[in-house]
Amino acid sequence: AVVSTQSTGRYSKSQRAGIDFPVARIIRKMRAHPGMDRFRISAGGGVFFSSVLEYLCAEILELSGLACKGVKKRRITPRHVLLAIGNDEELHELLKNVTIPGAGVVPYVNPALLKKGRNGQGQTKEIQSMEF
């Protein structure tokens, strides 16, 4: 909910933008980044970057919660986060070079390693399991 500017209270940039992530802190970190002293950072830039980070965190948490429910657990662990990222194509592409400590590996069996059928052909069905 966006706060109206006509009221006489003090509101943070996050409250005015209607998001939960700290806009002022992100603007401060962007300005303190090495090499950024040559560039000007608008107030809208910090709001935009904060809202993008908030959206990505909400998306990852939602998918992790679904992965957690899939294995009938109530607490999200790094393993659930990894499985959620691995099962979503766009998040996997975005975070393909990220290592999550304590999460293990995404389950995958190469089709060439599967048992051969009666006719000598390897099984072509991929095994995708959320169990670990």
Side-chain angles (χ1 to χ4, degrees), residues 26-32 36 39-46:
I26 289 177
I27 290 174
R28 188 174 67 238
K29 297 288 185 185
M30 287 170 67
R31 287 187 178 140
M36 288 299 290
F39 302 107
R40 296 172 63 182
I41 298 171
S42 68

Side-chain angles (χ1 to χ4, degrees), residues 100-113:
I100 300 174
V105 296
V106 176
Y108 174 75
V109 177
N110 193 332
L113 298 176

Side-chain angles (χ1 to χ4, degrees), residues 2-93:
V2 178
V3 179
S4 67
T5 57
Q6 294 177 355
S7 59
T8 59
R10 290 181 58 142
Y11 295 105
S12 68
K13 292 178 182 177
S14 298
Q15 288 173 329
R16 281 184 271 168
I19 57 178
D20 293 327
F21 269 50
V23 175
R25 183 182 301 171
I26 289 177
I27 290 174
R28 188 174 67 238
K29 297 288 185 185
M30 287 170 67
R31 287 187 178 140
H33 193 273
M36 288 299 290
D37 54 349
R38 300 178 295 181
F39 302 107
R40 296 172 63 182
I41 298 171
S42 68
V47 172
F48 180 78
F49 192 54
S50 298
S51 61
V52 168
L53 288 177
E54 183 174 332
Y55 169 75
L56 285 174
C57 288
E59 188 74 21
I60 290 172
L61 279 174
E62 180 184 355
L63 293 173
S64 300
L66 293 175
C68 188
K69 276 186 182 177
V71 292
K72 298 179 181 169
K73 302 286 184 184
R74 296 186 63 181
R75 182 176 297 158
I76 296 174
T77 63
R79 178 72 179 166
H80 300 132
V81 175
L82 179 77
L83 291 173
I85 291 171
N87 288 334
D88 188 78
E89 187 176 319
E90 293 171 342
L91 284 176
H92 182 71
E93 181 66 26

